[in-house]
Amino acid sequence: MKILIRFFLLFVVIFFSIIASAQNYRPFPVGNIPFFKATDNEIRGVRVDSITARNKEHILHFYNEWDYTNYECIIADGPCWLGFHCIWDGSVMTFFNEQKDSLFIDSKKKLNEEWVFCRLSADSIVYAKIIEESKQNFLELSDSVKLIHLELRDSMGNHVDHTLNGFQLEISQSYGFVQLLNFLEFPDYLKQYSLCGLTNPKRGQTYINDRTIYDYEVGDVFHYEYNHSDAPWGSWVHTREIRKVIGKYLSADEDTVTYTIDRSGDRKIKDWTTSEESYSLYHDTVTDRHVFKPTNYLPYEAIIEDGSMQFYTQGIEPISNDRLVYSEAYWLYHSENDSCWSLIHFDGGAPNYYAEGCGLYYYNGDEGVGQYNGYLRYFKKGDEEWGIPLKVGVRDYNFTDTDIKIFPNPVKAGQQLNVTSNTDVIVDASIYTVEGKMMISYDVSKTNAPFELNVDKLNAGIYLLKMFGESGSVYYSKFQKE
């Protein structure tokens, strides 16, 4: 009973001390995880995993990142980009860099008041000064914000030229930092970060995960281009593919989504040993199933799953609406004991990149002598459109006017399409759209004489006539239906 009473009294003290300081500027918003975007579009998050009360102070313990100080023994409980923790007394916030220097932010200071932000050495002192206090709008919120200017001076108070001069911090009364730096690597690594998202309620850019990556709607269209080469002995395969979402099913517990995809494409194969080329079209329906992981991770957070070390990076790519892009780590580690990890494998390629609401965005790698890559070239989601559409099914280097002749071209309504073969006997013919969808298949008699194809069922447009010869050759001709 005494233990319960002590615990309750301690809780009351902590609770009211926090309430009492609620009017002061706080480092981070209560019950929220802020995300920040750097000038190079890198995104970082801040999560307080626990709070320790010490006298009148609160120690905010941050999440952990991988510590690479010793590559022979990599540990999972390293500091994040703001350090291991922050000490807050309701007024002054104290952060710590890698050299254990203290970084002070005094939120009670008023306009034009200054203080020592950090002592780098006896003759190198960084001063902070409130140069503006005003109402600002950010993330569709409005709050009072203090703008803090940093300046390096010597022990006599004289200005010292340094790249950190001019860097600024911004702190909001209710939502914490609006602008900050990488405190862990200060002042060796200076990068400005600005608030870009909050999680509760969700505002702006926050987590990217399986649920946000594979967030499709019926009617969404994606164009991909793939390459696979195992030169100089094998072949090169170039594929262009259009994927359209035609069905969506979300499980009852909403942890799995299954999409039905209408898929059409063309594929060119070049044999490196013979220089022969072949070309084919395909059109089918496939299903994509994605199981959502229950945990959200921050960029660079130390993750251990299935006996391997993982982390991911997050940023903004120059695609439509500044969509978030997620990058998988390509380093794999093996645990030698409970705390020590070491490098055991590098897969020889770049990590896969995934785009918010677009699935796989880019991949690149190798397998022995082979190389492969894939790119998202275009998408259309509702009224949002990005990239240049691929002309799937149209490859100029596959068409010939010497072996096969078709006429008239264009063919008008009511006319038949005449086909003449000069060198081969045609045994099969099919007509495709330029996207690779088969429209008509013909049972063609074995003859090299002219024959006619009825195209009355076709709407006006450009089509591809695919023909198989008795010799085994495949022929393609484009024609227009008016």
Side-chain angles (χ1 to χ4, degrees):
M1 186 66 181
K2 291 183 178 179
I3 295 176
L4 290 176
I5 293 175
R6 290 175 183 174
F7 176 82
F8 176 76
L9 292 176
L10 178 60
F11 172 81
V12 170
V13 170
I14 295 175
F15 177 80
F16 282 102
S17 65
I18 293 176
I19 294 298
S21 60
Q23 300 305 313
N24 297 332
Y25 286 68
R26 61 180 67 251
F28 305 105
V30 175
N32 231 316
I33 297 177
F35 283 73
F36 299 86
K37 181 172 69 173
T39 50
D40 63 358
N41 285 333
E42 178 194 38
I43 290 182
R44 306 295 294 259
V46 181
R47 189 183 68 237
V48 177
D49 282 347
S50 64
I51 299 177
T52 303
R54 185 181 64 185
N55 298 325
K56 295 182 179 181
E57 299 176 333
H58 298 94
I59 304 176
L60 284 60
H61 302 275
F62 301 127
Y63 72 100
N64 293 114
E65 296 185 8
W66 289 94
D67 187 343
Y68 301 93
T69 305
N70 178 5
Y71 271 86
E72 297 301 320
C73 183
I74 301 168
I75 58 176
D77 55 355
C80 74
W81 61 298
L82 299 184
F84 282 107
H85 60 269
C86 162
I87 300 175
W88 184 41
D89 65 3
S91 173
V92 178
M93 311 162 202
T94 307
F95 295 86
F96 304 89
N97 63 12
E98 288 180 311
Q99 289 72 40
K100 304 297 189 295
D101 297 321
S102 299
L103 313 179
F104 301 103
I105 300 174
D106 192 341
S107 63
K108 280 190 175 179
K109 293 294 185 182
K110 301 184 183 301
L111 185 64
N112 295 324
E113 292 184 341
E114 65 178 29
W115 68 94
V116 173
F117 175 76
C118 178
R119 294 183 183 274
L120 301 176
S121 68
D123 202 41
S124 295
I125 306 169
V126 181
Y127 283 83
K129 182 179 181 180
I130 306 292
I131 62 171
E132 182 182 319
E133 184 174 3
S134 62
K135 205 81 167 179
Q136 291 190 20
N137 297 319
F138 51 89
L139 298 179
E140 300 181 352
L141 298 167
S142 181
D143 197 20
S144 178
V145 176
K146 290 183 178 180
L147 178 59
I148 304 170
H149 177 83
L150 301 181
E151 181 187 9
L152 182 64
R153 302 175 191 169
D154 61 21
S155 58
M156 302 298 294
N158 300 312
H159 176 84
V160 177
D161 289 335
H162 194 280
T163 54
L164 69 82
N165 292 321
F167 275 91
Q168 296 177 342
L169 306 173
E170 291 185 10
I171 187 167
S172 158
Q173 183 171 13
S174 303
Y175 300 99
F177 286 104
V178 177
Q179 193 164 277
L180 77 171
L181 302 172
N182 183 330
F183 291 147
L184 180 67
E185 299 181 78
F186 181 89
D188 301 322
Y189 181 69
L190 295 169
K191 186 189 288 189
Q192 197 88 57
Y193 291 84
S194 299
L195 183 68
C196 68
L198 293 169
T199 58
N200 186 26
K202 185 182 183 304
R203 298 176 184 271
Q205 295 157 329
T206 58
Y207 288 112
I208 181 170
N209 50 34
D210 295 339
R211 194 176 295 273
T212 59
I213 290 170
Y214 301 109
D215 182 19
Y216 309 151
E217 296 299 334
V218 172
D220 288 355
V221 178
F222 306 95
H223 291 202
Y224 287 97
E225 185 173 9
Y226 311 110
N227 290 283
H228 185 280
S229 174
D230 50 6
W233 303 284
S235 60
W236 168 62
V237 181
H238 179 222
T239 304
R240 300 181 301 189
E241 183 173 285
I242 295 176
R243 300 170 66 89
K244 182 177 181 179
V245 181
I246 60 175
K248 178 180 181 179
Y249 172 74
L250 189 63
S251 64
D253 55 6
E254 298 188 352
D255 71 341
T256 303
V257 65
T258 303
Y259 294 104
T260 305
I261 307 294
D262 179 88
R263 185 177 68 167
S264 60
D266 60 33
R267 184 173 291 115
K268 177 184 178 181
I269 302 177
K270 180 175 182 178
D271 190 307
W272 293 115
T273 57
T274 64
S275 296
E276 293 182 355
E277 296 183 359
S278 63
Y279 175 67
S280 62
L281 297 171
Y282 61 91
H283 180 236
D284 56 17
T285 301
V286 297
T287 57
D288 279 355
R289 182 173 179 267
H290 304 283
V291 179
F292 304 137
K293 295 180 179 179
T295 306
N296 284 319
Y297 295 110
L298 294 177
Y300 298 98
E301 182 175 1
I303 306 168
I304 301 176
E305 289 184 348
D306 301 324
S308 66
M309 164 274 186
Q310 302 176 37
F311 70 93
Y312 79 91
T313 63
Q314 185 172 327
I316 300 294
E317 287 287 323
I319 61 178
S320 181
N321 285 347
D322 282 343
R323 288 186 174 272
L324 293 174
V325 171
Y326 162 102
S327 167
E328 288 181 326
Y330 49 84
W331 297 97
L332 299 177
Y333 291 80
H334 175 69
S335 178
E336 296 179 351
N337 52 51
D338 291 340
S339 61
C340 200
W341 295 67
S342 60
L343 177 65
I344 61 170
H345 176 67
F346 175 62
D347 73 1
N352 293 339
Y353 291 82
Y354 300 85
E356 192 175 35
C358 296
L360 186 62
Y361 174 62
Y362 166 77
Y363 69 88
N364 180 50
D366 62 55
E367 46 186 20
V369 296
Q371 295 181 334
Y372 56 89
N373 57 59
Y375 306 85
L376 175 65
R377 295 301 193 189
Y378 166 87
F379 73 77
K380 189 174 191 305
K381 294 174 66 68
D383 296 330
E384 182 184 357
E385 192 171 10
W386 170 85
I388 300 175
L390 297 176
K391 295 181 178 180
V392 171
V394 179
R395 293 180 183 260
D396 294 335
Y397 42 76
N398 282 288
F399 301 103
T400 174
D401 290 327
T402 59
D403 297 326
I404 302 291
K405 290 185 180 296
I406 61 173
F407 60 92
N409 190 8
V411 57
K412 299 180 182 297
Q415 291 182 326
Q416 303 292 303
L417 186 67
N418 293 271
V419 182
T420 298
S421 171
N422 295 327
T423 60
D424 204 351
V425 177
I426 302 301
V427 297
D428 186 70
S430 299
I431 292 178
Y432 293 81
T433 66
V434 293
E435 290 82 17
K437 181 179 181 180
M438 189 174 72
M439 303 300 293
I440 307 175
S441 179
Y442 300 93
D443 182 14
V444 181
S445 301
K446 295 184 178 181
T447 176
N448 58 2
F451 58 89
E452 295 181 342
L453 299 177
N454 188 326
V455 294
D456 286 343
K457 294 181 179 179
L458 299 178
N459 296 324
I462 303 296
Y463 294 91
L464 178 70
L465 175 61
K466 177 182 180 181
M467 293 161 287
F468 290 90
E470 193 174 43
S471 66
S473 298
V474 183
Y475 305 96
Y476 299 90
S477 289
K478 285 184 295 186
F479 71 92
Q480 181 178 355
K481 170 72 183 298
E482 291 187 341

